[in-house]
Amino acid sequence: MARSICLCIFLLFITWIPILSTSFPLSTKTRWIVDEKGQRVKLACVNWPAHLQPAVAEGLSKQPLDSISKKIVSMGFNCVRLTWPLDLMTNDTLARKITVKQSFESLNLFDDALGIQIHNPKILNLPIFNAFQEVVSNLGQNGLMVILDNHLTYPGWCCSDNDLDAFFGYPNFDPVIWAKGLGKMATLFRNVTNVIGMSLRNEPRGTRDYPDLWFRFMPKGAEAVHAANPEVLVILSGIDFDTNLSFLRDRFFNVSFTDKLVFEQHWYSFSHEGGAWVKHNSNDICAKIIGEVNHNGGFLLDRGFPLILSEFGTDERGVDVSGNRYMNCLVAWAAEKDLDWAVWALTGDYYLRTGTKHMVETYGVLDATWKNVRNSTYLQKLSGIQHPFRGPGLQEKKLILHPHTGLCVTNNHSGNVPTLRLELCTKSESSTFNPKEGILWINKMCVETPDVAGQKVKLGVGTKCSKLGQISATKMHLSFKTSNGLLLCLDVDERDNSIVANPCKCLTKDASCDPASQWFKVL
């Protein structure tokens, strides 16, 4: 069932996401990213690494470039966060004199060189930078927007506390050279309309007193990009591996431009206290960490700045309990805030990562063939946040999201008695839920809860409306009491995605309990 649902999602989003119709360039309007017409443009991106050795976008030895671009579109993404090493702009030998073939052969990656000759012969003998341009160009031909992300200084894997390029002033991170490199990259893509933004540096980190250094050098990088290419969004990351922008609460970031400034934040299951997702009740830890994420960066939305969740993700093999629980929480938060985002990562495998050839990326949405989706259920979960819920130019549609599946609650029109079920959010009917009133309405019909556990939840016309409460720390359990005082919660029957009533679970401190099926996020 999950596979058939996902195929529908892919077909739907090929036609739905407003890529080719977007009027470039993009700018900001309070907390929103908008096009030239002032209409909301939601970035639903995937990270495509091109910063490792041999400084070529991953996967080109496995599939044709155009096939990968089309696959990105078919999965519902409308943009790519394309990573690059600073060396690509500051080392002309690497960028202009070394060909793709020479780069691979110098690393003894002869099989990958052969794969590129088979699948992408056009780029085999191009200099490294020209191959990078080909990737950007092909993404544009397929209607995909691009964010150019300066990931690190020299080609390789990222990121650790003790990296020599971890922060401004470290041995391999000269702020002056960095700003010049950013300006050069911005200049080279000045007239490439699908390049809509530049991310200045990935995951600043280290042991220095870096808020002061951040304020000293980050504006210089921002100004260098804007001066070279005033059309692109200028995207700034925080500190502590880009988990922390809290220093902006009490200190103003001063640059000469206002309508191109965007901030980015990262959030993984391991971004907070180790093992938190298995040590604590999911309701409690989700609410706690969302509070921290809002404190560290989410507050910028309330202050009128766009915020991109530019890296998140988990092991898609389904074996990581912490990651699975975190993803349900993250999707709920991202939907509530209607965030722009970029999932890590597209990658099926890497040419060379930390000395290992063809290392599989378990966080990758593609498998090692670079042709097939690694986990269709995971992709379906992301589909719930791929489209915008509100913003300039949009008619706001209120929905109730089921984060675990990425689907939304709607009316089940089949059968004699109207009931509730999960459906693609783009197909779901608008809902209304006022927590004070406690009545859930779906297309002018209200919920009538059953008096017995296990039964389907019905819809009526207002004569028997049931009162629902939002309980647990996350407020994502929708509960009610039966006539005999039994507390039940809305739940999902996985056999047909119908909404049923079951005893509320995971309301205690039991850390082994997973409440995912009973989480519903009111948007």
Side-chain angles (χ1 to χ4, degrees), residues 107 112 228 325 329 362 382 408 434:
L107 297 166
D112 285 304
R325 294 179 178 181
C329 181
T362 59
L382 293 181
C408 288
N434 185 328

Side-chain angles (χ1 to χ4, degrees), residues 63-332:
Q63 295 294 330
L65 170 58
D66 193 61
S67 296
I68 296 176
S69 294
K70 285 180 167 57
K71 188 67 176 180
I72 294 170
V73 175
S74 76
M75 291 187 293
F77 301 106
N78 65 0
C79 91
V80 167
R81 182 176 181 250
L82 186 65
T83 68
W84 59 280
L86 187 66
D87 210 26
L88 194 63
M89 287 293 99
T90 58
N91 182 348
D92 282 342
T93 299
L94 171 68
R96 303 291 186 180
K97 297 181 180 179
I98 296 177
T99 66
V100 170
K101 184 174 187 290
Q102 290 170 337
S103 181
F104 278 96
E105 290 182 347
S106 70
L107 297 166
N108 295 318
L109 299 174
F110 297 102
D111 56 339
D112 285 304
L114 178 60
I116 290 179
Q117 182 177 347
I118 294 170
H119 296 293
N120 292 286
K122 180 180 178 180
I123 72 165
L124 184 66
N125 293 306
L126 290 180
I128 295 295
F129 179 70
N130 295 97
F132 187 85
Q133 287 178 307
E134 285 293 321
V135 172
V136 173
S137 176
N138 188 265
L139 290 170
Q141 291 166 23
N142 284 280
L144 289 160
M145 296 175 283
V146 174
I147 294 171
L148 300 177
D149 165 60
N150 175 224
H151 216 70
L152 74 182
T153 299
Y154 301 118
W157 183 244
C158 174
C159 301
S160 299
D161 268 321
N162 58 356
D163 289 340
L164 296 180
D165 63 351
F167 206 73
F168 300 114
Y170 276 50
N172 291 344
F173 195 175
D174 184 317
V176 175
I177 294 175
W178 166 74
K180 288 181 179 178
L182 289 175
K184 185 176 180 181
M185 179 66 88
T187 299
L188 290 169
F189 285 97
R190 180 164 181 155
N191 296 316
V192 181
T193 57
N194 71 306
V195 174
I196 54 90
M198 285 190 59
S199 176
L200 302 193
R201 189 69 170 197
N202 182 70
E203 298 194 353
R205 60 208 177 275
T207 57
R208 297 179 185 270
D209 181 20
Y210 37 48
D212 287 341
L213 289 176
W214 191 96
F215 277 107
R216 179 180 176 185
F217 294 116
M218 197 63 80
K220 295 181 179 179
E223 294 287 6
V225 168
H226 187 70
N229 186 350
E231 304 292 357
V232 296
L233 300 173
V234 179
I235 305 170
L236 281 66
S237 55
I239 60 176
D240 298 334
F241 294 85
D242 197 14
T243 63
N244 188 1
L245 289 153
S246 64
F247 50 87
L248 290 169
R249 283 180 169 273
D250 304 312
R251 194 168 175 181
F252 184 70
F253 183 80
N254 189 22
V255 286
S256 63
F257 55 94
T258 57
D259 64 345
K260 297 289 183 177
L261 189 61
V262 178
F263 294 95
E264 62 180 322
Q265 187 173 8
H266 293 179
W267 178 16
Y268 290 101
S269 64
F270 48 78
S271 297
H272 298 80
E273 60 178 283
W277 294 97
V278 293
K279 290 179 181 177
H280 304 284
N281 173 278
S282 289
N283 288 302
D284 295 335
I285 197 62
C286 177
K288 178 178 182 291
I289 291 181
I290 282 179
E292 294 175 2
V293 172
N294 281 330
H295 177 272
N296 287 345
F299 71 93
L300 289 166
L301 297 170
D302 297 327
R303 296 193 178 184
F305 292 100
L307 178 70
I308 298 177
L309 184 64
S310 59
E311 278 192 32
F312 67 95
T314 193
D315 190 327
E316 294 185 36
R317 295 173 297 180
V319 297
D320 181 4
V321 175
S322 291
N324 295 340
R325 294 179 178 181
Y326 134 88
M327 276 297 297
N328 293 326
C329 181
L330 180 145
V331 168

Side-chain angles (χ1 to χ4, degrees), residues 48-49 56-65 68 116 119-120 347-351 369-370:
W48 190 352
V56 174
E58 304 290 336
L60 298 182
S61 64
K62 297 290 187 69
Q63 295 294 330
L65 170 58
I68 296 176
I116 290 179
H119 296 293
N120 292 286
T347 328
D349 66 351
Y350 297 96
Y351 305 124
T369 67
W370 282 80

Side-chain angles (χ1 to χ4, degrees), residues 16-30:
W16 183 87
I17 290 184
I19 303 169
L20 294 174
S21 62
T22 298
S23 178
F24 297 118
L26 304 185
S27 59
T28 65
K29 185 177 183 180
T30 64

Side-chain angles (χ1 to χ4, degrees), residues 475-507:
K475 304 297 182 184
M476 286 196 282
H477 282 81
L478 296 181
S479 68
F480 63 95
K481 284 189 177 181
T482 64
S483 60
N484 61 1
L486 179 64
L487 184 67
L488 299 180
C489 281
L490 301 193
D491 206 338
V492 176
D493 187 336
E494 294 182 356
R495 295 172 297 180
D496 61 0
N497 279 342
S498 61
I499 307 300
V500 297
N502 279 322
C504 301
K505 58 184 180 181
C506 308
L507 301 183

